[in-house]
């Protein structure tokens, strides 16, 4: 399995970022919703510290993920994807990236304006505040964090639903090629290779310069992903 993505498959690092972040966001959502319901006693502090520390890891992973994406262009869209759908997917992914930053940053902002106590990363070192204490902004920061989270949940559910439609209705292997450990299998699966559009015709294809992408044959409507 290659670290880098190519015209047909996601690389293992892109997959690692995708699924680690998904997992941590689920943990963060559950922990966040649980901890705010607890009675306001000192015993809640470890939950808050854990939430803030894991949230900072999500933020760091989002930065690394986007930086890696600059060096690791995404694979081509399946040939069956209509133009409007490819544009919609692109907008949805951009929104997801935006929320990946907005949610932890708004949490950090909320923590800073309330400034109850310094934020300690897993008790190891202090993380500075990003804004001065300001009780007037507390409500706004809280709303941004809470509603940003619910918007992320909504967009991610739509995004996951589209991944399932691609995989099980269109049967173009979109989900399979993002799953961990399946890169090698898809590399040799002719059905997936032939279901990709030629690189030059794709609106959301960053491999247009790649000779291997340009060599991908046009769609075969009969082609089906055997892993689907
Ligand atoms: C992707 C990362 C994050 C997710 C998904 C997330 C999610 C949530 C959720 C769902 C809540 C409950 C909101 C409510 O119902 O009131 C919450 C609360 C909170 N979050 Fe986050 N959070 C993340 C990152 C962070 C970060 C990085 C910080 C701070 C550095 C932070 C600080 C807080 C605080 C202080 C609260 C409690 C708000 C209150 O006491 O009312 N969060 N978070
Ligand atoms: C918090 C939840 C999620 C976030 C923030 C997220 C974010 C993203 C982003 C930003 C991309 C685009 C990658 C790029 O172009 O660089 C992507 C791709 C993808 N995601 Fe997610 N995702 C989430 C959950 C899910 C879930 C639950 C599934 C499936 C059940 C899924 C399946 C996929 C697939 C299959 C792709 C590749 C699409 C393609 O090849 O065109 N994602 N995700």
């Amino acid at each position: 399995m290659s670290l880098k993505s190519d015209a047909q498959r996601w690389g293992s690092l892109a997959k690692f970022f995708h699924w680690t972040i998904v997992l941590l966001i689920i943990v963060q959502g559950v922990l966040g919703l649980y901890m705010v319901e607890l009675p306001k006693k000192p015993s809640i502090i470890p939950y808050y510290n854990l939430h803030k520390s894991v949230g900072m890891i999500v933020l760091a992973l989002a930065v690394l993920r986007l930086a890696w994406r600059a060096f690791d262009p995404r694979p081509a869209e399946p040939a069956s994807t209509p133009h409007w759908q490819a544009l919609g997917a692109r907008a949805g992914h951009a929104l997801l990236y935006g929320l990946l930053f907005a949610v932890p940053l708004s949490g950090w902002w909320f923590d800073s304006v309330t400034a109850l106590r310094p934020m300690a990363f897993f008790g190891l070192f202090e993380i500075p505040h990003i804004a001065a204490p300001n009780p007037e902004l507390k409500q706004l920061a809280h709303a941004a964090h809470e509603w940003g989270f619910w918007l992320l949940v909504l967009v991610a559910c739509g995004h996951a639903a589209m991944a399932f439609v691609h995989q099980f209705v269109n049967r173009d292997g979109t989900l399979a090629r993002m799953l961990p450990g399946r890169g090698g299998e898809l590399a040799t699966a002719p059905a997936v290779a032939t279901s990709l559009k030629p690189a030059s015709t794709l609106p959301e294809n960053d491999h247009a310069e790649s000779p291997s992408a340009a060599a991908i044959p046009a769609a075969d409507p009969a082609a089906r992903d055997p892993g689907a």
Side-chain angles (χ1 to χ4, degrees):
M1 203 197 313
S2 165
L3 208 62
K4 272 184 82 64
S5 307
D6 62 30
Q8 298 155 46
R9 288 154 296 146
W10 291 97
S12 49
L13 201 51
K15 290 178 182 180
F16 166 80
F17 281 132
H18 183 273
W19 294 112
T20 309
I21 289 174
V22 171
L23 192 77
L24 291 182
I25 284 179
I26 295 171
V27 168
Q28 281 293 90
V30 172
L31 180 58
L33 293 171
Y34 171 72
M35 72 187 193
V36 293
E37 295 303 325
L38 294 173
K40 300 282 178 262
K41 287 196 272 182
S43 56
I44 63 171
I45 292 175
Y47 294 103
Y48 273 63
N49 282 343
L50 181 64
H51 179 81
K52 293 181 209 173
S53 300
V54 175
M56 296 309 286
I57 290 179
V58 174
L59 184 59
L61 286 173
V63 172
L64 291 175
R65 179 177 184 180
L66 217 53
W68 174 242
R69 197 185 193 275
F71 295 98
D72 185 50
R74 50 157 301 140
E77 287 283 333
S80 52
T81 312
H83 187 66
W84 64 267
Q85 213 180 77
L87 288 179
R90 183 179 233 180
H93 292 164
L95 187 56
L96 282 169
Y97 275 122
L99 290 166
L100 269 183
F101 284 90
V103 173
L105 277 174
S106 58
W108 195 356
W109 182 39
F110 173 78
D111 193 60
S112 303
V113 295
T114 50
L116 290 176
R117 58 192 163 271
M119 193 204 321
F121 185 75
F122 291 108
L124 297 172
F125 56 87
E126 269 182 31
I127 294 184
H129 288 137
I130 47 170
N134 186 345
E136 284 172 22
L137 289 176
K138 204 177 142 181
Q139 231 182 343
L140 180 67
H142 185 269
H145 192 52
E146 189 180 357
W147 291 108
F149 167 73
W150 287 116
L151 184 61
L152 174 61
V153 169
L154 191 76
V155 180
C157 284
H159 164 75
M162 284 310 292
F164 283 114
V165 168
H166 271 284
Q167 182 68 35
F168 299 109
V169 180
N170 303 352
R171 292 169 161 264
D172 57 20
T174 295
L175 178 57
R177 72 176 184 175
M178 183 46 114
L179 293 180
R182 297 199 52 179
E185 206 176 310
L186 285 171
T188 52
V192 168
T194 54
S195 71
L196 292 167
K197 272 185 182 172
S200 53
T201 64
L202 294 163
E204 193 191 354
N205 170 33
D206 295 338
H207 281 282
E209 302 305 318
S210 149
S212 62
I216 297 170
D220 171 5
R224 289 290 178 260
D225 172 15

